[in-house]
């Protein structure tokens, strides 16, 4: 586990990661459980220092509060999103990190 991840979160057990190109050409590394394949977190080379945790991987998902919605155009019709959150149909110009400033 890298220092970046261990400084921000605690992952118990092993993870398996694979990287692929993102929409804007950055590399996205997705990490999951090597046993069951459950997604845990991802990192994007375009936003170093940020870790994107899957809420389903948390012991208590209510401990975090969403800050924005990205890729809203890709959500299924049945997904009711919080209208009070800033929402982007795709990745905002400059990436999520720029949109949070």
């Amino acid at each position: 586990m890298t220092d970046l991840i261990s400084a921000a979160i605690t992952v118990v057990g092993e993870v398996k990661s694979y990287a692929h190109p993102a929409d804007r050409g950055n590399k996205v590394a997705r990490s999951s459980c090597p046993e069951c394949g459950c997604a845990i977190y991802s990192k994007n080379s375009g936003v170093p220092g940020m870790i994107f945790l899957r809420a389903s991987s948390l012991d208590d998902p209510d401990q975090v509060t969403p800050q924005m919605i990205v890729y809203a155009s890709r959500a299924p019709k049945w997904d009711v999103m919080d209208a009070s959150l800033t929402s982007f149909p795709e990745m905002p110009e400059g990436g999520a990190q720029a949109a949070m400033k």
Side-chain angles (χ1 to χ4, degrees), residues 30-49:
R30 300 187 189 282
S31 298
S32 59
C33 172
E35 298 279 329
C36 70
C38 181
I40 302 170
Y41 62 86
S42 60
K43 297 189 297 180
N44 184 314
S45 65
V47 283

Side-chain angles (χ1 to χ4, degrees), residues 13-30:
E14 294 182 43
V15 295
K16 182 176 183 177
S17 299
Y18 69 94
H20 62 90
D23 288 352
R24 299 197 185 268
N26 297 318
K27 294 281 186 188
V28 173
R30 300 187 189 282

